[in-house]
Amino acid sequence: VQLVESGGGLVQAGGSLRLSCAASGFNFGDYTIGWFRQAPGQAREGISCISPRDGLTYYAESEKGRFTISSDNAKNTVFLEMHSLAPADTAVYYCAAGSSWYLSPYDYDYWGQGTLVTVSS
């Protein structure tokens, strides 16, 4: 099982980024794929998740409107589009695969290595 994130980097406040999560080694459609982030000294928090099989999505209340999750099932890839980024969004962003819904990190079995997003003011 492998999850590989990409697309992080340095962006100015107000800018946008699109993160990708390429999955392999498991049946993509059988899992919920979630995006999480962890800032230095803070707990890992859930952002959004998607069921690739049926396209259902769920967002943390604080991220609704700025972030959009989507999937390309032909490529076993999940995306996270982020807009109106602020310095408070600076964190390592992780994707994960799990068998439950919602955004508790404990419900996710497989994790990528993370991609760093830095938002400058």
Side-chain angles (χ1 to χ4, degrees), residues 4-87:
V4 180
E5 303 94 336
S6 61
L10 176 64
V11 62
Q12 288 189 329
S16 300
L17 278 178
R18 186 194 198 202
L19 305 183
S20 299
C21 171
S24 61
F26 62 99
N27 192 336
F28 189 64
D30 287 346
Y31 284 81
T32 298
I33 308 297
W35 281 101
F36 298 79
R37 67 183 179 185
Q38 188 166 19
Q42 298 187 22
R44 191 165 298 188
E45 63 172 340
I47 301 169
S48 181
C49 61
I50 187 168
S51 170
R53 182 186 299 275
D54 52 25
L56 288 175
T57 60
Y58 176 81
Y59 293 90
E61 193 65 32
S62 59
E63 310 307 340
K64 283 184 178 178
R66 291 197 304 131
F67 293 179
T68 302
I69 193 170
S70 61
S71 69
D72 182 340
N73 293 356
K75 296 182 179 180
N76 282 9
T77 301
V78 171
F79 305 98
L80 184 70
E81 292 192 38
M82 308 185 294
H83 302 284
S84 301
L85 288 166

Side-chain angles (χ1 to χ4, degrees), residues 36-40 44 89-94 113-117:
F36 298 79
R37 67 183 179 185
Q38 188 166 19
R44 191 165 298 188
D89 295 312
T90 295
V92 178
Y93 285 70
Y94 299 90
Q113 82 289 348
T115 185
L116 177 63
V117 172

